[in-house]
């Protein structure tokens, strides 16, 4: 085993000094395989000294007795510090709780402090970040914070605490391991574009823009300047004063100097040449092995060749060198930070940036380096590396003279999906219990689509429906000859919500839908013109915003606890679990190409593989709209919610439907909270080796084999109970029963005697 791990020295292009490269025996790569490729600077330009340091690392790599964190102190007495740090920092890296890091610097106030926590949720482009701007007094032209665009813009958590005092910010970053995995994805896609004969602009676009549109290297490395457009920009100019962030010419921001732009362009051109050479080398090698030109293959043979090409490319030493050169360029951008305090992890990778000032303009200017999408600053922006921005200070609404006590939480958009069975990412649903308001932001122009409907579905089944508010944007664009007055337009929009809710009755049950509909009118707010400055908004929009603020403030007032408590016969839970497992398995069989399900299409094999890679490498548990954990959590919570709707009796008869719903909702919330860890443990924690084996499948037929392996994982994680009870089914039912029983009893409910027996 130890023979495969050796270190070597190299000189990084255009940088002084020697570096050392090696595969770390105790750190998995992005595919979950042991041997993460590491490159660390040796801090010397002396070749002999570099050889001595590399020899020290090879001594550690050749002796497994050193491969333990407890040996660090002994290693420090024997080896050079740079070598000890390079090896042991990666052993002790672990996962960082970035939320906890931000809490250490700027704690989020809660209802106990008189603050209402509001989470903004909505599809990409619906206007949730534009709405947030108005609540924090951010000018769309001068401040442009947070950034907006019609594409995916908010890729990190944005947390704002309006409060008196100085302006303060804390920014946390994605791990080096995760960024490296994204760079590897981009580079592999760029190599594939070369193989497919794409033009230079397309190859560079693949390098600079990740498939999921969340990671954009172009923000950091600079944009490609040789692209040609079919139509002049002047042909698409409007007289609207509210230019998009990416095209704004009114900002007073620092733009990247021309000489720096030229350097960035030259660096991209060098990367392009290296990518072409790498792809050509691998393509020639595979064609020689197969005895035919792989570019001429068609159908499933071409898919297999593409899979093989990607595998060969990523095992080439040149591939790892390009990845680490890009990472070095990424690190170098942190040297350009002018203000604040940047703290790094043991490995040297940035961990947290903090800043405090009394100057609002300077505060916004500095924070934007970590959150902006402003095109003239491409080449210095660090936005793609940021997983969370928390800001505190006098960031109050720009309308009326008010200072509401709020915590405003914005995050990544939901994305657009046609699937009615789509689920809300667990990155959002895990936060339901921590907030007081779930603000669904949706466009009033169209009937409610699948993604916002999925939010309402998850909020209702999770027992958090009392937290829901809906802000309809673009209300000024609701027009029609039959809609002459404001009330007509409002009723038209509310009717679309009612229609959407009625489509969920079969899924959620009539009691839950009635609870949502009961005070729907008081929970919906009509907004328009959010892209313009607050002082230009009409009075009607300001009135709606004030109503929304009052809703936020009331949300922390606890309702009276219900005195009636439900009593359940837990044996009926079997049917709920059976329905949930079926509702999860069937759509996923269709996505994997192993079955069919109405409204669900087969996913391209590359997307399934991308999901597989993220799980195998412990990078994430979902990819774009492919969210197995979120799907199973949603289906289980919905089915269990239906079960909870029908207690066998009550400890005392509820006074009305509202009291009954409130009592059941407390149990629903407890079940929903516990399901997240339960499902993650069953689907990934217990099957991580299986996910890694599935990802390693290669060659002709591997697409089908991978799909079958993933289906096997799903069937083991969530088996459908039948008349023949297998051991996995029995364990699944037992664990669900224990979870639901605990939730009932911890929240005042009881079990009937037959259940106990």
């Amino acid at each position: 085993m130890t023979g495969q791990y050796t270190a070597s020295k190299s000189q990084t292009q255009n940088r002084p000094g020697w570096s050392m490269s090696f595969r770390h025996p105790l750190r998995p790569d992005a595919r979950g395989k042991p041997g993460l490729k590491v490159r660390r600077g040796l801090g010397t330009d002396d070749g002999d000294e570099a050889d001595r340091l590399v020899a020290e690392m090879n001594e550690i790599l050749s002796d497994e007795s050193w491969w333990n964190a407890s040996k660090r102190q002994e290693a420090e007495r024997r080896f050079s510090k740079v070598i000890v740090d390079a090896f042991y920092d990666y052993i002790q890296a672990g996962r960082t709780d970035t939320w906890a890091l931000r809490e250490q610097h700027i704690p989020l106030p809660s209802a106990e402090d008189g603050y209402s926590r509001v989470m903004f949720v909505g599809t990409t482009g619906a206007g949730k970040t534009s709405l947030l701007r108005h609540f924090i007094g951010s000018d769309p032209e001068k401040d442009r914070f947070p950034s907006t665009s019609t594409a995916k813009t908010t890729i990190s958590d944005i947390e704002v605490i309006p409060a008196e005092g100085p302006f303060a910010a804390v920014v946390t970053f994605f791990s080096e391991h995760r960024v490296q995995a994204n760079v590897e994805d981009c580079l592999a896609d760029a190599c594939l574009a070369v193989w497919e004969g794409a033009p230079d602009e397309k190859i560079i676009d693949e390098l600079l823009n990740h498939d999921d549109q969340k990671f954009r290297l172009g923000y950091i490395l600079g944009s490609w300047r040789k692209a040609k457009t079919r139509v002049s920009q002047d042909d698409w100019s409007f007289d609207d004063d509210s230019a998009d962030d990416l095209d704004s010419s009114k900002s007073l921001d620092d733009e990247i100097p021309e000489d720096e732009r030229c350097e960035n362009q030259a660096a991209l051109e060098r990367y392009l040449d290296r990518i072409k050479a790498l792809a050509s080398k691998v393509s020639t090698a595979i064609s020689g092995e197969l005895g035919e030109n792989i570019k001429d293959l068609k159908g499933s043979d071409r898919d297999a060749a593409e899979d093989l090409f990607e595998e060969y490319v990523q095992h080439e030493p040149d591939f790892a060198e390009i990845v680490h050169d890009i990472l070095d360029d990424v690190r170098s951008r942190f040297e350009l930070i002018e203000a604040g305090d940047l703290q790094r992890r043991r490995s040297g990778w940035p961990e947290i940036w903090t800043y405090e000032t009394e100057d609002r303009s300077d505060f916004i200017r500095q924070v934007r380096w970590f959150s902006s999408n402003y095109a003239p600053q491409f080449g210095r922006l660090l936005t793609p590396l940021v997983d969370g921005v928390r800001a505190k200070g006098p960031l109050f609404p720009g309308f009326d003279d008010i200072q509401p006590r709020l915590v405003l939480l914005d995050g990544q958009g939901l994305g657009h999906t046609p699937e009615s069975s789509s689920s809300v990412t667990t990155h959002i649903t895990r936060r339901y219990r921590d907030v007081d308001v779930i603000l669904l932001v949706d466009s009033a122009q169209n009937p409610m689509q699948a993604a916002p409907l999925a939010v309402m579905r998850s909020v209702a089944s999770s027992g958090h429906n009392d937290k829901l508010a809906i802000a309809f944007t673009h209300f000024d664009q609701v027009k029609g000859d039959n809609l002459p007055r404001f009330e007509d337009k409002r009723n038209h929009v509310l009717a679309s919500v009612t229609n959407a809710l009625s489509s969920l009755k079969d899924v959620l049950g009539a009691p839950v839908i009635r609870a949502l509909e009961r005070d729907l009118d008081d929970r919906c707010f009509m907004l328009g013109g959010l892209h313009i400055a607050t002082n230009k908004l009409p009075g009607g929009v300001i009135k709606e915003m004030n109503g929304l603020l009052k809703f936020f403030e009331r949300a922390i007032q606890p309702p009276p606890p219900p005195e009636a408590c439900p009593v359940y016969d837990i044996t009926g839970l079997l049917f709920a679990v059976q329905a949930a497992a079926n509702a999860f398995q069937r759509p996923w069989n269709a996505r994997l190409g192993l079955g069919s399900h109405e409204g669900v299409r087969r996913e391209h094999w590359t997307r399934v593989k991308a999901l597989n890679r993220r799980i195998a490498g412990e990078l994430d548990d979902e990819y774009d709209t492919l969210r197995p954990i979120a799907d199973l959590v949603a289906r289980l919570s919905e089915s269990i919610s239906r079960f909870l709707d029908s207690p066998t009796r009550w400890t005392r008869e509820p006074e009305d439907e509202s009291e009954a719903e409130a009592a059941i909702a407390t149990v629903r919330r407890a079940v929903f909270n516990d399901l997240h860890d339960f499902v993650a443990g069953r689907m990934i924690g217990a099957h991580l080796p299986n996910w890694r084996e599935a990802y390693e499948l290669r060659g002709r037929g591997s697409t089908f084999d991978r799909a079958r392996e993933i289906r096997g994982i799903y069937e083991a994680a969530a088996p459908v109970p039948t008349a023949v009870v297998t051991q996995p089914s029995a364990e699944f039912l037992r664990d669900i029963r224990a979870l639901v029983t605990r939730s009932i009893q911890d929240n005042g409910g009881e079990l009937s005697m037959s259940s106990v027996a």
Side-chain angles (χ1 to χ4, degrees):
M1 177 183 292
T2 57
Q4 64 181 304
Y5 299 112
T6 56
S8 60
K9 73 175 184 180
S10 63
Q11 282 188 303
T12 306
Q13 291 190 8
N14 303 314
R15 292 187 180 87
W18 289 95
S19 296
M20 171 183 61
S21 299
F22 67 99
R23 290 194 177 275
H24 202 293
L26 300 180
R27 290 289 290 176
D29 60 19
R31 295 167 294 170
K33 297 181 67 175
L36 174 69
K37 186 67 178 288
V38 175
R39 187 167 78 187
R40 295 287 287 265
L42 292 174
T44 180
D45 55 8
D46 185 322
D48 292 337
E49 174 66 7
D51 287 335
R52 185 187 69 78
L53 293 171
V54 168
E56 288 187 6
M57 178 58 75
N58 280 325
E59 184 176 346
I60 294 175
L61 293 173
S62 65
D63 185 352
E64 290 187 44
S65 67
W66 291 109
W67 299 2
N68 191 301
S70 64
K71 300 282 284 186
R72 180 166 189 148
Q73 288 187 342
E74 183 179 344
E76 287 173 343
R77 293 191 292 269
R78 179 164 175 176
F79 303 108
S80 303
K81 183 178 186 304
V82 65
I83 297 302
V84 173
D85 289 346
F87 186 81
Y88 289 95
D89 284 351
Y90 282 90
I91 296 180
Q92 299 171 317
R95 285 192 175 185
T96 303
D97 185 344
T98 54
W99 175 279
L101 275 178
R102 297 195 293 275
E103 279 289 296
Q104 290 175 16
H105 291 268
I106 305 178
L108 287 186
S110 64
E112 295 178 355
D113 306 302
Y115 278 75
S116 178
R117 293 184 178 182
V118 182
M119 180 170 66
F120 289 64
V121 183
T123 52
T124 300
K128 60 187 179 67
T129 305
S130 295
L131 177 58
L132 174 62
R133 284 180 172 183
H134 289 283
F135 284 134
I136 65 174
S138 177
D139 187 278
E141 294 178 6
K142 297 177 182 177
D143 294 333
R144 295 181 295 100
F145 172 76
S147 293
T148 63
S149 173
T150 54
K152 291 181 180 178
T153 307
T154 308
I155 58 173
S156 65
D157 292 329
I158 305 289
E159 304 150 1
V160 184
I161 310 167
E164 290 291 355
F167 294 92
V170 54
V171 175
T172 53
F173 304 97
F174 290 116
S175 68
E176 182 179 11
H177 183 47
R178 181 161 179 167
V179 173
Q180 179 172 331
N182 283 329
V183 172
E184 289 172 356
D185 285 346
C186 292
L187 180 56
D189 287 342
C191 289
L192 188 60
V194 176
W195 176 45
E196 293 174 341
D200 290 354
E201 288 79 4
K202 173 64 175 175
I203 297 168
I204 285 294
D205 183 67
E206 293 291 344
L207 177 68
L208 297 183
N209 296 288
H210 197 282
D211 277 349
D212 65 5
Q213 300 180 43
K214 300 176 188 175
F215 183 75
R216 301 177 188 270
L217 267 174
Y219 286 23
I220 310 168
L221 303 184
S223 55
W224 182 253
R225 303 181 69 187
K226 293 187 177 181
K228 296 179 180 179
T229 58
R230 292 175 295 177
V231 183
S232 169
Q233 180 66 27
D234 293 337
D235 295 337
W236 285 92
S237 296
F238 294 89
D239 293 331
D240 189 355
D241 289 336
S242 55
D244 184 88
D245 282 352
L246 296 180
D247 299 321
S248 175
S249 60
K250 299 183 179 181
S251 172
L252 300 178
D253 280 339
D254 300 324
E255 296 191 4
I256 304 302
E258 182 60 25
D259 60 343
E260 188 174 324
R261 291 177 184 276
C262 292
E263 291 175 7
N264 292 340
Q265 175 69 17
L268 290 177
E269 290 173 358
R270 289 193 293 272
Y271 282 131
L272 177 63
D273 291 340
R274 295 170 68 185
I275 290 168
K276 286 181 174 179
L278 171 60
S280 176
K281 175 183 177 182
V282 172
S283 181
T284 300
I286 296 177
S287 296
E289 286 186 19
L290 299 180
E292 57 183 324
N293 191 334
I294 60 173
K295 295 181 180 180
D296 297 333
L297 298 175
K298 306 293 182 183
S300 60
D301 287 341
R302 185 174 180 83
D303 288 345
E306 182 180 324
D307 198 17
L308 190 64
F309 177 84
E310 181 184 346
E311 176 73 8
Y312 273 48
V313 159
Q314 296 194 43
H315 276 86
E316 278 291 319
D318 290 346
F319 183 91
E321 286 302 309
I322 296 174
V323 167
H324 283 283
D325 284 345
I326 291 174
L327 288 174
D328 284 344
D329 280 342
V330 169
R331 289 188 190 92
S332 72
R333 298 315 193 258
F334 285 92
E335 306 298 328
L336 302 175
I337 297 175
E338 300 174 351
D341 179 32
L342 180 67
Q343 299 176 27
R344 300 176 183 269
R345 295 181 171 92
R346 282 178 173 270
S347 65
W349 186 257
E351 181 173 57
I352 190 168
W353 176 84
T354 55
Y355 186 56
E356 184 172 312
T357 180
E358 299 284 348
D359 188 325
R360 185 183 190 280
S361 296
D362 184 60
F363 176 76
I364 296 293
R365 175 175 172 266
Q366 299 301 337
V367 170
R368 275 202 305 256
W369 292 113
F370 304 94
S371 62
S372 178
N373 63 352
Y374 184 52
Q377 292 180 325
F378 283 7
R380 286 196 181 186
L381 295 179
L382 302 170
T383 308
L385 309 175
V386 173
D387 90 318
V389 177
R390 185 171 295 181
K392 182 179 181 180
L395 299 163
F396 297 110
F399 51 91
D400 295 342
D401 187 18
I402 51 176
Q403 296 185 358
R405 297 164 71 85
L406 301 174
V407 174
L408 304 171
L409 309 174
D410 189 16
Q412 180 186 318
L414 296 173
H416 299 275
T417 174
E419 286 191 15
S420 60
S421 59
S422 63
S423 301
V424 183
T425 169
T426 55
H427 300 306
I428 290 175
T429 57
R430 283 182 179 273
R431 294 283 171 83
Y432 283 178
R433 62 181 171 184
D434 299 322
V435 301
D436 303 293
V437 178
I438 301 167
L439 180 63
L440 174 59
V441 182
D442 194 30
S443 174
Q445 284 182 278
N446 305 302
M448 192 167 281
Q449 303 297 313
L453 196 58
V455 173
M456 297 187 71
R457 188 170 167 172
S458 72
V459 168
S461 64
S462 66
H464 292 284
N465 51 289
D466 60 325
K467 299 180 179 181
L468 180 67
I470 308 176
F472 285 102
T473 60
H474 304 97
F475 185 73
D476 50 320
Q477 300 300 314
V478 176
K479 300 176 181 178
D481 294 339
N482 61 329
L483 304 172
R485 300 175 304 148
F486 171 83
E487 285 303 323
D488 297 322
K489 296 176 181 180
R490 179 182 174 83
N491 291 335
H492 170 75
V493 174
L494 291 179
S496 73
V497 182
T498 304
N499 289 336
L501 287 175
S502 32
S503 70
L504 297 179
K505 281 186 179 178
D506 290 340
V507 177
L508 300 178
V512 172
I513 299 302
R514 286 198 298 271
L516 277 173
E517 292 176 336
R518 189 174 301 122
D519 53 357
L520 184 64
D521 188 69
D522 296 331
R523 295 175 178 271
C524 294
F525 303 86
M526 307 299 154
L527 308 171
L530 297 181
H531 61 290
I532 65 178
T534 304
N535 59 10
K536 297 180 181 179
L537 290 175
V541 176
I542 299 297
K543 181 179 178 181
E544 291 288 296
M545 285 189 175
N546 275 317
L548 195 49
L549 285 177
K550 290 177 182 177
F551 183 93
F552 296 163
E553 292 172 341
R554 292 195 303 268
I556 62 173
Q557 300 172 5
E563 296 181 8
C565 297
V567 180
Y568 293 97
D569 184 344
I570 207 71
T571 56
L573 188 62
L574 165 66
F575 301 103
V577 175
Q578 185 181 58
N582 262 319
F584 168 77
Q585 298 285 0
R586 288 174 180 171
W588 266 102
N589 282 339
R591 294 185 189 104
L592 295 171
L594 303 175
S596 61
H597 189 76
E598 184 180 359
V600 180
R601 60 177 176 81
R602 178 179 181 177
E603 294 288 345
H604 194 272
W605 67 272
T606 55
R607 283 172 52 81
V608 174
K609 186 178 178 183
L611 170 69
N612 196 164
R613 184 186 185 204
R614 276 154 182 74
I615 295 177
E618 298 183 78
L619 301 171
D620 204 344
D621 55 29
E622 56 190 45
Y623 173 73
D624 196 28
T625 57
L626 301 182
R627 302 166 178 161
I629 290 182
D631 287 344
L632 185 52
V633 168
R635 303 297 84 83
L636 282 170
S637 65
E638 289 164 1
S639 291
I640 295 172
S641 175
R642 291 293 302 272
F643 162 76
L644 294 173
D645 269 337
S646 303
T648 55
R649 58 186 176 84
W650 292 85
T651 55
R652 81 153 173 78
E653 196 62 27
E655 292 184 358
D656 53 29
E657 191 171 339
S658 296
E659 184 183 16
E661 173 58 30
I664 294 174
T666 60
V667 182
R668 284 198 184 98
R669 287 194 290 269
V671 169
F672 188 73
N673 293 341
D674 290 348
L675 278 176
H676 285 81
D677 290 339
F678 171 77
V679 170
R682 287 191 64 87
M683 189 169 291
I684 295 180
H687 294 284
L688 192 55
N690 305 101
W691 283 104
R692 290 174 174 169
E693 290 171 7
Y695 182 76
E696 289 304 313
L697 293 170
R698 294 291 183 272
R700 188 177 284 108
S702 61
T703 297
F704 178 69
D705 292 339
R706 182 177 297 109
R708 288 197 306 175
E709 288 294 320
I710 293 175
R711 180 176 65 178
I713 294 170
Y714 292 164
E715 290 176 343
V720 180
T722 62
V724 179
V725 181
T726 63
Q727 182 176 349
S729 293
E731 292 176 353
F732 185 48
L733 284 169
R734 180 198 65 208
D735 293 344
I736 290 283
R737 175 179 172 136
L739 185 153
V740 175
T741 296
R742 182 173 62 251
S743 298
I744 292 171
Q745 294 178 331
D746 288 352
N747 289 278
E750 298 178 5
L751 301 179
S752 66
M753 293 307 295
S754 60
S755 291
V756 176

